[in-house]
Amino acid sequence: MVDQPNVLLCKYDEKFLNIPKEILIITMQHHQKYFPTFNQKGNITNEFLVVINNKDTKGFIKLGNERVVDARLSDAQFFWKRNKSQNLVKQVAKLKLINYFKGLGSYFDKVQRMRKLGSMISDELLISKDKVELSCSISKVDLISDLVGEFPELQGIMGGYFADSQGFEKDISLALSEQYLPLGLTSKVPKKKYSIALSLTDKLDTL
């Protein structure tokens, strides 16, 4: 007879709720196979669920899983504090060190092509050419961050958070976070003009 799985309610330190929720979710859901929990308002909490095959009569399994999550989130918090303060504009030149595709140069070359495309698209959308070009220039800088190195799934999303923390205009931050949308047939699509512009420049450069 197979034992029924047990579910443990575990907690991590509340201080980690100050870092982006996407980091918390990926740490628990994708890396540790745990289940994050949310309150009635849809906000993530500091509790998570763990499914185990054995009974945890002494609480050792619960304690062990909590320590694992705290350790991983401690690293993520360190990277978050360091990365968000690193000036996005000043780091654009570092993209020369990251290859894009063979024959298409580096990511620095890519953002330069995106700037030219963005300039044309801004005329069609009747939006600021300077803001579109700025969005294009810094759009890939998060690729060199520790966080995206650790969590590749967060590229673009972290760029939006970095831009927001550094005081960029909200529509630029949103454009960075939505630049890869849509991701598929059922994915949401960008609706704001600057997000549309950046998404188009990224995709047109790959054609």
Side-chain angles (χ1 to χ4, degrees):
M1 183 175 178
V2 179
D3 292 335
Q4 292 295 319
N6 296 290
V7 178
L8 298 179
L9 179 62
C10 304
K11 291 184 178 181
Y12 55 86
D13 197 311
E14 287 187 345
K15 69 181 181 181
F16 296 126
L17 293 175
N18 293 322
I19 63 179
K21 64 180 180 181
E22 289 86 353
I23 295 175
L24 303 177
I25 292 171
I26 284 183
T27 296
M28 289 180 281
Q29 206 169 51
H30 294 257
H31 291 254
Q32 300 300 142
K33 308 302 180 185
Y34 301 155
F35 299 89
T37 63
F38 302 83
N39 61 25
Q40 292 181 336
K41 294 182 179 180
N43 297 320
I44 194 167
T45 75
N46 70 316
E47 296 180 331
F48 61 97
L49 303 175
V50 180
V51 178
I52 61 174
N53 292 323
N54 302 312
K55 291 183 178 181
D56 188 26
T57 54
K58 295 185 178 181
F60 292 152
I61 298 176
K62 178 178 183 294
L63 181 61
N65 283 294
E66 289 177 338
R67 286 177 173 172
V68 168
V69 170
D70 275 341
R72 288 191 67 90
L73 290 181
S74 181
D75 290 341
Q77 184 182 56
F78 171 78
F79 291 143
W80 163 244
K81 288 180 178 179
R82 180 166 71 176
N83 293 162
K84 72 176 182 178
S85 63
Q86 294 171 325
N87 189 290
L88 290 173
V89 174
K90 291 182 178 180
Q91 292 189 91
V92 172
K94 293 181 181 179
L95 294 175
K96 295 177 181 179
L97 303 175
I98 307 177
N99 290 327
Y100 179 45
F101 281 126
K102 186 175 181 180
L104 294 177
S106 65
Y107 269 95
F108 181 83
D109 298 317
K110 176 179 175 63
V111 297
Q112 301 312 309
R113 295 192 298 268
M114 288 174 62
R115 281 172 56 91
K116 294 179 181 179
L117 290 168
S119 178
M120 294 184 286
I121 291 173
S122 65
D123 291 336
E124 295 297 323
L125 294 177
L126 302 177
I127 54 179
S128 168
K129 183 179 299 184
D130 289 339
K131 286 174 65 172
V132 173
E133 291 184 349
L134 175 58
S135 299
C136 292
S137 294
I138 63 175
S139 63
K140 308 303 178 186
V141 173
D142 67 345
L143 295 177
I144 63 177
S145 69
D146 302 296
L147 279 168
V148 173
E150 179 72 14
F151 306 105
E153 307 94 326
L154 295 183
Q155 57 183 294
I157 294 173
M158 292 316 307
Y161 277 115
F162 296 155
D164 189 57
S165 70
Q166 292 178 28
F168 284 85
E169 294 182 53
K170 295 296 183 182
D171 43 14
I172 291 181
S173 300
L174 181 63
L176 264 60
S177 66
E178 295 185 335
Q179 63 182 287
Y180 297 107
L181 298 179
L183 298 172
L185 294 176
T186 59
S187 168
K188 73 174 188 175
V189 297
K191 295 182 179 180
K192 300 295 185 180
K193 288 187 176 181
Y194 288 98
S195 296
I196 292 171
L198 187 57
S199 176
L200 284 174
T201 61
D202 180 67
K203 289 169 176 56
L204 287 172
D205 182 63
T206 62
L207 296 179

